[in-house]
Amino acid sequence: MPALDAIAERAAAHRLMVMGHCAVEPGDGLPEGFATLVLLGPAEPGFWPHVTAEPEFSDGHADPLDRWSRRVIGRLACALGGKARFPFGGPPHAPFLPWAQRSGRAWSSPVGMLVHDVAGLMVSYRGAIALRDALPPAPPKPSPCKSCAEKPCLNACPVGALGRADGYDTAACHGFLDTRTGMDCMNAGCAVRRACPLSQSYGRISAQSSYHMSLFHP
């Protein structure tokens, strides 16, 4: 069974990083015999220039990022004797949010979105690898939001669509993105995600955020 650092080394060759790991639980939708889930996401800086130079981004077919993820993470899983799972392609959808929170490296933020200990509110998962052997759990630690005194995410949305007591106002968000002022979020990424101090130190470039925003708000 490869150690976690060996898995990280294999992933790094594809500009992916281990974003956390957790024990498999009943209800995770995995076959019997698997004990650990290793979550993979973009290693920044450098992920977007790497992935957009891959064949999927020049073959003219739809969903290049998802197809790249299937190819690369699928092969990694096979090499490790595991099974790949992805946050797309459902239903049924793999429960990535619970997996992330069980990893001890991601938490619910004050605005409701997931916050990661490295990626902040820019956290995303390209896939996970289920392994048959158990890995020791990560040492517990508190959410970074607890020590964030300013909490700039709470006031970053120009239309107050996030951080509301009644949840995410999708209509206000999408309506704003249709305006000229909303092009800042479309071109550079969600203002709330960018406001997080951890997001700012993560190194994700605007071109990547713009790609995801174009899928979120076609």
Side-chain angles (χ1 to χ4, degrees):
M1 168 68 191
L4 199 60
D5 56 355
I7 298 172
E9 184 177 357
R10 287 174 181 257
H14 304 282
R15 297 305 305 167
L16 291 167
M17 63 183 286
V18 173
M19 305 287 280
H21 68 282
C22 65
V24 171
E25 294 184 357
D28 283 339
L30 291 162
E32 288 188 16
F34 289 92
T36 304
L37 282 157
V38 178
L39 306 175
L40 300 175
E44 302 292 4
F47 174 76
W48 199 242
H50 171 84
V51 76
T52 53
E54 294 285 273
E56 287 82 359
F57 278 81
S58 60
D59 63 14
H61 296 296
D63 303 318
L65 185 55
D66 290 351
R67 290 187 294 111
W68 176 87
S69 301
R70 283 194 183 277
R71 174 173 65 84
V72 169
I73 297 175
R75 289 179 179 177
L76 283 174
C78 289
L80 295 166
K83 292 283 187 184
R85 291 292 184 267
F86 301 96
F88 49 83
H93 296 283
F96 270 78
L97 290 181
W99 292 349
Q101 291 176 304
R102 277 161 38 197
S103 77
R105 294 186 56 191
W107 304 263
S108 179
S109 72
V111 290
M113 293 188 291
L114 208 63
V115 62
H116 185 263
D117 63 350
V118 173
L121 291 177
M122 289 294 186
V123 59
S124 64
Y125 299 94
R126 293 314 316 158
I129 297 176
L131 302 170
R132 294 188 178 277
D133 292 334
L135 292 176
K141 56 182 174 181
S143 165
C145 300
K146 291 186 176 181
S147 58
C148 181
E150 298 293 330
K151 293 183 173 50
C153 62
L154 285 172
N155 300 305
C157 180
V159 290
L162 288 157
R164 301 162 53 99
D166 58 350
Y168 172 41
D169 188 339
T170 56
C173 176
H174 284 281
F176 174 71
L177 295 176
D178 281 329
T179 67
R180 178 174 297 179
T181 309
M183 290 305 296
D184 177 61
C185 288
M186 289 296 296
N187 293 331
C190 170
V192 173
R193 293 182 187 271
R194 284 183 281 147
C196 173
L198 282 172
S199 297
Q200 294 170 15
S201 65
Y202 180 46
R204 179 164 141 174
I205 64 174
S206 295
Q208 182 178 351
S209 292
S210 178
Y211 174 84
H212 288 292
M213 290 299 290
S214 71
L215 300 178
F216 170 68
H217 185 76

